[in-house]
């Protein structure tokens, strides 16, 4: 297994953690203080639950795309161009900044390390593919 494949798998596993969290929020888990800057402590209101579900889907597609770029997964849409990995990396960079500046201490403690791992893995996959 190549290093690119390993980084893609680590990316997918870290993404699975985030997807699971987002789905839990969507289904009513009372963890709102750990997302969206803590603006909705407790259970998310209905509109935010939908947003959490949409984020979970987007993150799942991103994980499949990174696995495809690395050659771990044959995407049904065909070969995934490397620029997709760079786009995901750019979005993760924005997400990292947002999590660094969030007023939610718990959000910073949990998501900064997770997003940092995802970002590093994504950059490595993009650079080596």
């Amino acid at each position: 297994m190549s290093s690119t494949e390993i980084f893609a798998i680590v990316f997918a596993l870290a993404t699975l953690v985030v997807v699971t969290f987002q789905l839990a929020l969507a289904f009513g888990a009372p963890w709102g203080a750990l997302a969206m800057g803590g603006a909705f402590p407790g259970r998310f209101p209905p509109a935010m639950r939908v947003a959490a579900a949409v984020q979970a889907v987007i993150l799942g597609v991103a994980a499949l795309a990174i696995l495809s770029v690395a050659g771990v997964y044959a995407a049904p849409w065909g070969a995934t161009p490397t620029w997709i990995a760079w786009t995901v990396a750019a979005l993760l960079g924005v997400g990292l900044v947002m999590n660094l500046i969030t007023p939610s201490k718990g959000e910073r403690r949990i998501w900064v390390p997770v997003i940092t791992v995802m970002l590093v893995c994504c950059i490595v996959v993009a650079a080596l593919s």
Side-chain angles (χ1 to χ4, degrees):
M1 184 174 291
S2 73
S3 60
T4 305
E5 293 169 330
I6 292 169
F7 278 96
I9 291 168
V10 171
F11 175 87
L13 292 172
T15 303
L16 180 61
V17 170
V18 182
V19 166
T20 302
F21 177 78
Q22 291 295 335
L23 289 175
L25 289 173
F27 285 103
W31 302 334
L34 301 174
M36 302 300 291
F40 304 96
R43 295 175 192 254
F44 270 3
M48 293 308 299
R49 288 184 186 193
V50 171
V54 169
Q55 289 178 35
V57 170
I58 292 169
L59 286 164
V61 171
L64 292 176
I66 297 304
L67 289 169
S68 175
V69 168
V72 175
Y73 169 73
W77 56 77
T80 304
T82 304
W83 67 264
I84 296 288
W86 286 114
T87 302
V88 172
L91 293 171
L92 286 168
V94 171
L96 179 59
V97 169
M98 298 303 290
N99 278 283
L100 285 167
I101 65 173
T102 181
S104 170
K105 190 180 214 180
E107 193 172 351
R108 283 192 308 274
R109 285 185 177 165
I110 294 170
W111 301 120
V112 167
V114 173
I115 292 178
T116 300
V117 167
M118 291 170 66
L119 177 59
V120 168
C121 289
C122 193
I123 290 171
V124 170
V125 169
L128 296 180
S129 296

